[in-house]
DNA sequence: AATAGTACCAACCGCCCATTG
DNA sequence: TCAATGGGCGGTTGGTACTAT
């Protein structure tokens, strides 16, 4: 007996989200705060998406507390450090970067950091120097002479940083000893919980974000506030 | 200008695990 | 105790933009 699919995929929309869908989802979340059951969200928000898709969209893209833009060098260094300790546990790694998502970090690792480590002669999995066979030596020589995206100076800087990072490891471990390593940054919030200063801050940033987006997006006539939109599709 | 190759990232898939009845 | 369920997670894919030939 196999497991039931997370949702009935028949008739559900897939692929990139439209602005209208984003609006519907945001609108629903702004009006309802926390939602214990993602499965019901698409139905209640009037979306033809599965609950998982809504959750992902919110967490990875719509959350008001998301930090946009490329990773700084110090962030990269910390990712490398954390990866050496935690492996591919991206959500754990992401919990150390408020505003960054596990998906974002995973993508950055796979597209940028992995390459940099390889060019440094480090195994991205073990973080240890790679034993070079004749075959991959030649291949690496070729790619190194061809490669221009990481100049020698930069590679040297990364080496220095990594050494510093290793020096920091001890301090970091001490630090982790005094904090809960499993501390996880949670994206869920509730308007009702705004007595909590942190929640209030989050709510405040949410409002600021809404104002900001409001001014940037041309909220067309299709965007109907939830309170006014009493009739959801059956 | 056209085509091929590469990089990037949003989104999906399927498995795992905690919770619930 | 166990099966069903839903959320979370990591791996992978597919589309798009950019670059090289």
């Amino acid at each position: 007996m196999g497991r039931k699919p997370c949702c009935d995929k028949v008739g559900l929309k897939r692929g990139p989200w439209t602005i209208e869908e984003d609006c519907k989802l945001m609108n629903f979340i702004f009006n309802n705060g926390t939602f214990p059951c993602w499965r019901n969200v698409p139905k209640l928000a009037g979306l033809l998406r599965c609950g998982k898709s809504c959750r992902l969209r919110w967490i990875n893209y719509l959350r008001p507390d998301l930090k946009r833009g490329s990773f700084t060098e110090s962030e990269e260094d910390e990712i490398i450090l954390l990866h050496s300790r935690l492996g591919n546990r991206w959500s754990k790694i992401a919990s150390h970067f408020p505003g960054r998502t596990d998906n974002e970090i995973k993508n950055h690792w796979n597209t940028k950091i992995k390459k940099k480590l390889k060019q440094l002669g480090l195994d991205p999995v073990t973080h240890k120097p790679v034993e070079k066979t004749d075959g991959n030596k030649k291949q690496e020589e070729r790619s190194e002479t061809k490669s221009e995206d990481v100049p020698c100076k930069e590679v040297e800087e990364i080496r220095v940083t990594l050494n510093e990072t290793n020096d920091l490891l001890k301090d970091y471990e001490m630090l982790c000893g005094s904090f809960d390593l499993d501390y996880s940054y949670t994206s869920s919030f509730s308007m009702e919980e705004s007595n909590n200063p942190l929640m209030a801050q989050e709510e405040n940033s949410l409002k600021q974000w809404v104002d900001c987006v409001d001014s940037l997006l041309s909220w067309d006539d299709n965007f109907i506030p939830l309170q006014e939109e009493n009739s959801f599709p059956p």
Side-chain angles (χ1 to χ4, degrees):
Chain A
M1 190 170 65
R3 203 193 138 148
K4 277 189 180 179
C6 76
C7 52
D8 181 11
K9 291 186 172 64
V10 180
L12 291 184
K13 192 171 177 295
R14 292 177 57 189
W17 281 64
T18 63
I19 292 176
E20 196 188 344
E21 287 177 307
D22 283 344
C23 290
K24 281 185 177 179
L25 182 58
M26 287 188 299
N27 201 22
F28 176 81
I29 291 169
F30 293 159
N31 282 289
N32 296 278
T34 52
F35 24 85
C37 182
W38 277 104
R39 177 177 272 229
N40 295 332
V41 168
K43 201 167 70 181
L44 296 171
L47 290 162
L48 289 171
R49 295 276 181 174
C50 82
K52 268 190 172 186
S53 185
C54 293
R55 178 185 156 268
L56 227 54
R57 183 64 178 170
W58 171 254
I59 288 173
N60 289 336
Y61 198 81
L62 298 175
R63 250 169 54 191
D65 53 354
L66 281 181
K67 188 177 170 184
R68 296 261 158 219
S70 49
F71 286 81
T72 64
E73 273 190 34
S74 63
E75 279 179 317
E76 278 193 3
D77 295 340
E78 205 178 338
I79 291 170
I80 294 168
L81 171 64
L82 289 166
H83 186 272
S84 70
R85 292 174 54 87
L86 301 167
N88 290 359
R89 280 180 281 181
W90 304 114
S91 59
K92 285 270 186 287
I93 294 172
S95 70
H96 293 262
F97 299 90
R100 299 289 192 187
T101 69
D102 53 351
N103 207 34
E104 201 179 3
I105 290 172
K106 181 172 61 183
N107 279 334
H108 190 70
W109 176 268
N110 285 330
T111 57
K112 301 261 183 72
I113 300 177
K114 234 176 173 179
K115 275 182 213 163
K116 281 189 180 178
L117 289 179
K118 277 180 185 171
Q119 273 162 348
L120 288 168
L122 297 171
D123 185 340
V125 179
T126 62
H127 293 252
K128 288 174 182 171
V130 184
E131 289 289 325
K132 290 185 181 178
T133 63
D134 284 351
N136 64 22
K137 247 185 188 174
K138 280 175 188 170
Q139 198 181 350
E140 230 169 71
E141 279 164 12
R142 257 178 291 157
S143 70
E144 271 173 15
T145 52
K146 221 177 77 174
S147 170
E148 285 166 13
D149 54 350
V150 181
C152 293
K153 193 186 161 203
E154 194 182 338
V155 167
E156 191 49 45
E157 279 170 3
I158 295 168
R159 276 188 213 277
V160 171
T161 307
L162 277 173
N163 287 337
E164 287 168 355
T165 302
N166 285 333
D167 292 341
L168 284 170
L169 192 58
K170 275 186 183 172
D171 297 340
Y172 182 78
E173 280 171 348
M174 286 171 69
L175 191 69
C176 291
S178 55
F179 289 106
D180 179 12
L181 242 187
D182 283 346
Y183 158 77
S184 80
Y185 182 79
T186 173
S187 66
S188 61
F189 62 92
S190 164
M191 298 301 183
E192 291 78 28
E193 291 174 296
S194 52
N195 288 338
N196 179 333
L198 283 173
M199 291 294 183
Q201 196 184 347
E202 199 164 16
E203 186 188 345
N204 193 39
S205 72
L206 179 66
K207 280 173 181 161
Q208 284 174 359
W209 179 77
V210 173
D211 292 341
C212 168
V213 171
D214 212 18
S215 63
L216 290 174
L217 285 174
S218 60
W219 298 80
D220 56 34
D221 297 336
N222 296 329
F223 178 45
I224 307 160
L226 200 68
Q227 297 95 323
E228 296 166 26
E229 191 184 33
N230 292 325
S231 57
F232 291 117

